[in-house]
Amino acid sequence: QVQLVESGGGLVQAGGSLRLSCAASGRTFSIYRMGWFRQAPGKERDFVAAITWNSGSTHYADSVKGRFTISRDNAKNTVHLQMNSLKPEDTAVYYCAARTSSLTQYNYWGQGTQVTVSS
């Protein structure tokens, strides 16, 4: 089992920045990739960014490219999402997720953290 705990959400004005963190515990050696997803009210959960645990390769949704940066701290089993130039449409609950294989879906999820961007 892998446990994920997010932190760093909050309220920010448009154009501002926030940094989300996700701390992993448990069987962290089994993690293949970690990602961030978000869900706005009345909408489906969407992919935001992901990072492969060992190689550090990253992948971003088009909507956040150039504004968000995902990074990892292997020693602390933590993943960060630096969000710059925030827009009101970035408002959502942000979820951290982990997958233990390239052949599976994300199989571990955090509880989510609210990000609200005011105009």
Side-chain angles (χ1 to χ4, degrees):
Q1 295 287 331
V2 175
Q3 294 79 43
L4 303 173
V5 178
E6 301 102 331
S7 61
L11 173 65
V12 64
Q13 289 187 333
S17 299
L18 279 176
R19 188 190 194 211
L20 304 183
S21 297
C22 176
S25 61
R27 297 172 63 89
T28 56
F29 61 87
S30 66
I31 294 174
Y32 165 71
R33 181 175 292 172
M34 291 187 69
W36 288 95
F37 292 75
R38 66 187 181 186
Q39 187 168 20
K43 295 187 177 180
E44 295 186 350
R45 187 176 298 184
D46 291 330
F47 168 78
V48 175
I51 187 165
T52 302
W53 198 248
N54 288 334
S55 70
S57 63
T58 58
H59 181 57
Y60 296 92
D62 288 342
S63 59
V64 305
K65 280 182 181 177
R67 300 188 298 123
F68 291 11
T69 302
I70 188 171
S71 62
R72 78 205 192 290
D73 183 336
N74 293 53
K76 296 183 178 180
N77 294 321
T78 300
V79 170
H80 303 288
L81 184 68
Q82 178 66 43
M83 306 185 293
N84 298 329
S85 302
L86 283 161
K87 305 174 181 180
E89 50 264 44
D90 294 319
T91 295
V93 177
Y94 283 70
Y95 296 91
C96 175
R99 58 194 294 189
T100 53
S101 168
S102 62
L103 302 177
T104 65
Q105 299 295 319
Y106 285 88
N107 41 358
Y108 297 101
W109 293 84
Q111 80 286 353
T113 185
Q114 177 70 46
V115 171
T116 302
V117 184
S118 63
S119 58

